Amino acid sequence: MRVLVVDDSLRLQRNIAAALRRSGYAVDTAGDGEEGLWLAESHEYDAIVLDLMLPKRDGLDVLRTLRAGGRPAHVLLLTARDTVADRVTGLQAGADDYLVKPFALEELLARVQALCRRTYGTKRPRLAVGDLEIDPLARTAQRAGRPVELTAREYQLLEYLARRQGEVVSRADIEAHIYDGQVDPMSNVVDSAVCNVRKKLAVTAGSAPLIHTRRGLGYVLAPAGARSLT
């Protein structure tokens, strides 16, 4: 999943971005409203963490501009102001959630995770694809009852494919949602990551593949035996 963090406090921005990256998110950052708005309009984000008090353009102005332009990304507002009027104003402007400073990074991560689940239209605590079960809260996966050991980024890739199970997901989509702007578009990072996850899902020698390649189109995560997808 790809997240944009817009905050003029460099220390807080770095701490949030580091926590998100440790959890496997692709993260872009901005230190003012103009840069944040440009990034939000130039890329597709699963969630945006947006401070209200920003230089150049404040957070509410950024949020209203995004909503007026039809940008659907879920937005978590950060603010030091904790009045009912402030919360109502932010929510009426199009925010999806509200977090008051100071806050625990664990709570921010949980709220971002909830917003990303909303992006794909599900509130189910677990995802199942055939004999594969994914627990988004624990960020773990198991197949046929056996744990699948994944890196944070590999887990994000698997969860993203699972939330779009049965759909063809292009390499460009995976790059946009799982990797940030530092990835070389000419690299084979996506193919390598998919290959690694596919190998790790083969928990036994006879395990049927769950990730299917559609040549020239992308990848599909579907239950074993979905022959029409191969």
Side-chain angles (χ1 to χ4, degrees):
M1 310 296 175
R2 191 170 183 178
V3 179
L4 172 63
V5 178
V6 187
D7 198 299
D8 63 330
S9 167
L10 186 58
R11 181 168 175 267
L12 182 58
Q13 180 195 115
R14 285 175 174 170
N15 287 341
I16 293 173
L20 287 166
R21 288 188 178 113
R22 282 195 299 271
S23 294
Y25 292 92
V27 184
D28 295 324
T29 59
D32 63 68
E34 284 188 1
E35 183 185 12
L37 180 60
W38 180 81
L39 284 169
E41 290 181 330
S42 303
H43 304 281
E44 186 177 346
Y45 292 101
D46 297 290
I48 298 174
V49 179
L50 178 64
D51 188 27
L52 277 179
M53 302 296 292
L54 293 169
K56 298 186 180 179
R57 297 184 76 152
D58 66 47
L60 280 180
D61 185 38
V62 172
L63 178 58
R64 290 184 176 119
T65 302
L66 290 175
R67 295 305 186 229
R71 291 286 172 176
H74 292 301
V75 175
L76 170 62
L77 285 183
L78 303 181
T79 181
R81 298 181 299 201
D82 188 24
T83 68
V84 172
D86 288 328
R87 291 197 296 272
V88 169
T89 299
L91 293 171
Q92 288 180 338
D96 299 276
D97 201 356
Y98 205 98
L99 191 56
V100 178
K101 299 178 181 179
F103 52 81
L105 282 173
E106 292 81 3
E107 182 178 3
L108 181 139
L109 289 172
R111 289 174 183 263
V112 168
Q113 186 180 63
L115 292 180
C116 288
R117 286 201 306 270
R118 245 190 257 177
T119 300
Y120 299 99
T122 178
K123 295 183 179 179
R124 291 176 294 171
R126 291 175 182 257
L127 300 170
V129 183
D131 59 355
L132 171 68
E133 188 174 86
I134 299 170
D135 185 343
L137 296 180
R139 306 182 75 75
T140 59
Q142 60 179 18
R143 186 173 185 194
R146 298 188 181 189
V148 180
E149 300 297 330
L150 300 166
T151 66
R153 184 58 56 83
E154 289 169 351
Y155 171 81
Q156 283 288 352
L157 170 60
L158 182 60
E159 183 183 331
Y160 180 59
L161 292 175
R163 293 196 182 281
R164 296 185 58 181
Q165 62 178 286
E167 298 179 32
V168 178
V169 183
S170 69
R171 289 173 179 80
D173 277 350
I174 293 172
E175 285 181 359
H177 287 271
I178 306 301
Y179 298 93
D180 53 34
Q182 298 177 358
V183 173
D184 182 353
M186 299 303 292
S187 73
N188 67 341
V189 63
V190 171
D191 298 318
S192 295
V194 171
C195 181
N196 288 339
V197 173
R198 183 183 275 140
K199 287 178 181 177
K200 291 183 177 183
L201 289 178
V203 293
T204 65
S207 297
L210 293 178
I211 300 178
H212 310 270
T213 302
R214 294 291 298 271
R215 295 191 181 280
L217 298 174
Y219 301 97
V220 181
L221 181 67
R227 296 174 181 252
S228 62
L229 296 175
T230 58

